[in-house]
Amino acid sequence: MDHRALLTSYLSNLKVDLLMADYNQCTTRWRDLDYTPDYSKFYYICGGEGWLKIGDKEYYPQPGELILMPEGVKQSYSCISERPFLKYWCHFSAKVGEINLFRVLELNHVCIPENPAAVEAAFQGITGSTQSDAVYAPLLGKSRLLELIAHYVMNHKLDEISYKNLGAARKLTAVLDYIAANIEHNITIHDLAEIAHMHPNYFMRLFKQQIGVPPIQYITRQKIDKAKDLLATTSGSVSEIADQLGFGDLFYFSRQFKKHAGLAPTEFRKQETGGVKP
């Protein structure tokens, strides 16, 4: 089963909230056992020693390692020497729709970033934003947190990422594959529910929970992405492209295109083919 489309959809619809962050040396009293946080954590170890337990797995992280401690999982930590951790850390939430990302995806808890300088820069931006009273600081913090999550995911091969609800993942993968293969046709909720072997009402709830947007909105986005490609690479008229993608009303197509792309179809084509820029 190819998870690429499903993973892309999860990540493109990800919403994050940054709760707390800092860079400091833990004290020798740094310790907590068997607690289950309702937020996720990243640690980036810069020096020292310590012990972590995430679920039933124990770790002794080394400098240069990035650790994910997902919400809803029993955890423990403690200092184990006179050289406690020196680390960047942040508390955050990451959701797709109403579901926590790490209740959907199973990722390794520890990775060694391929670009440690970029990870440290992201943490510096995150900690700086939490210490700033500028009105734009929360927005900058979220953007750097998304960057940090991207670095974490990038350090995993696709076959290293698994899905906790494999049944739902299989159904949604089949649905997304069908949408991609039939994007030039009219696709109904009934069609998709049949592929997933679900009642349409239950299917719509599951799709929005897992993907973050309703099925029709997702289909429209995919049609607009296809329209962008056709406008940039073919000579078909806007009307022909709208018809090809199943938009019966040219005005509706143009309105949806501008809503998602920020430009009218003709303006988009001019920009992509070397015409005037907006």
Side-chain angles (χ1 to χ4, degrees):
M1 177 173 57
D2 182 7
H3 296 309
R4 184 181 297 271
L6 186 58
L7 180 60
T8 299
S9 183
Y10 282 146
L11 297 179
S12 65
N13 288 289
L14 188 63
K15 295 181 180 179
V16 299
D17 281 309
L18 176 61
L19 307 177
M20 300 174 63
D22 207 347
Y23 171 72
N24 53 31
Q25 179 96 44
C26 299
T27 71
T28 54
R29 294 181 304 229
W30 185 69
R31 175 185 174 87
D32 203 348
L33 301 177
D34 294 334
Y35 74 105
T36 304
D38 57 1
Y39 52 84
S40 296
K41 297 186 289 185
F42 272 130
Y43 290 166
Y44 184 56
I45 309 301
C46 300
E49 299 176 315
W51 166 81
L52 304 175
K53 186 176 182 182
I54 308 171
D56 59 357
K57 296 181 180 179
E58 297 188 42
Y59 302 95
Y60 296 86
Q62 300 298 309
E65 291 183 342
L66 178 63
I67 298 98
L68 169 68
M69 304 178 75
E71 75 168 58
V73 177
K74 186 179 288 187
Q75 303 171 12
S76 302
Y77 59 79
S78 73
C79 175
I80 58 173
S81 77
E82 294 300 313
R83 297 180 53 252
F85 282 142
L86 175 66
K87 61 182 173 65
Y88 285 100
W89 59 268
C90 67
H91 297 176
F92 66 97
S93 70
K95 293 184 177 182
V96 179
E98 297 303 315
I99 297 179
N100 180 272
L101 178 67
F102 306 117
R103 292 187 185 274
V104 176
L105 298 182
E106 187 79 55
L107 296 140
N108 294 330
H109 294 137
V110 178
C111 74
I112 301 175
E114 293 182 4
N115 190 343
V119 168
E120 187 163 350
F123 263 114
Q124 289 171 349
I126 289 169
T127 56
S129 72
T130 61
Q131 296 164 7
S132 171
D133 58 1
V135 294
Y136 52 79
L139 186 60
L140 287 175
K142 285 186 179 183
S143 70
R144 300 314 294 270
L145 175 57
L146 283 168
E147 182 182 342
L148 184 60
I149 293 172
H151 282 293
Y152 194 83
V153 174
M154 285 160 55
N155 276 273
H156 291 75
K157 297 178 181 177
L158 282 178
D159 59 7
E160 294 176 336
I161 301 174
S162 59
Y163 296 83
K164 295 187 176 181
N165 187 342
L166 190 57
R170 284 197 178 104
K171 290 178 179 180
L172 288 172
T173 297
V175 166
L176 298 183
D177 287 346
Y178 177 85
I179 292 172
N182 294 275
I183 198 63
E184 296 185 356
H185 301 103
N186 287 320
I187 302 171
T188 68
I189 296 298
H190 181 74
D191 295 334
L192 302 181
E194 280 197 341
I195 292 167
H197 305 293
M198 295 180 184
H199 186 278
N201 291 341
Y202 181 71
F203 166 74
M204 287 190 291
R205 287 197 298 271
L206 177 70
F207 191 99
K208 186 173 181 180
Q209 285 177 343
Q210 296 282 324
I211 302 300
V213 295
I216 294 301
Q217 186 174 332
Y218 177 87
I219 292 167
T220 301
R221 286 184 183 176
Q222 299 307 303
K223 285 181 178 289
I224 296 304
D225 285 344
K226 181 65 175 180
K228 290 179 184 177
D229 181 60
L230 293 172
L231 287 165
T233 61
T234 73
S235 59
S237 69
V238 172
S239 178
E240 289 170 342
I241 290 172
D243 287 340
Q244 182 177 338
L245 292 170
F247 289 94
D249 186 321
L250 179 58
F251 175 76
Y252 176 72
F253 167 71
S254 297
R255 186 175 64 186
Q256 289 297 315
F257 190 96
K258 188 168 185 178
K259 176 182 176 182
H260 289 279
L263 296 170
T266 51
E267 294 172 330
F268 178 86
R269 171 170 272 168
K270 286 179 182 178
Q271 178 181 330
E272 292 299 303
T273 56
V276 295
K277 295 185 178 181

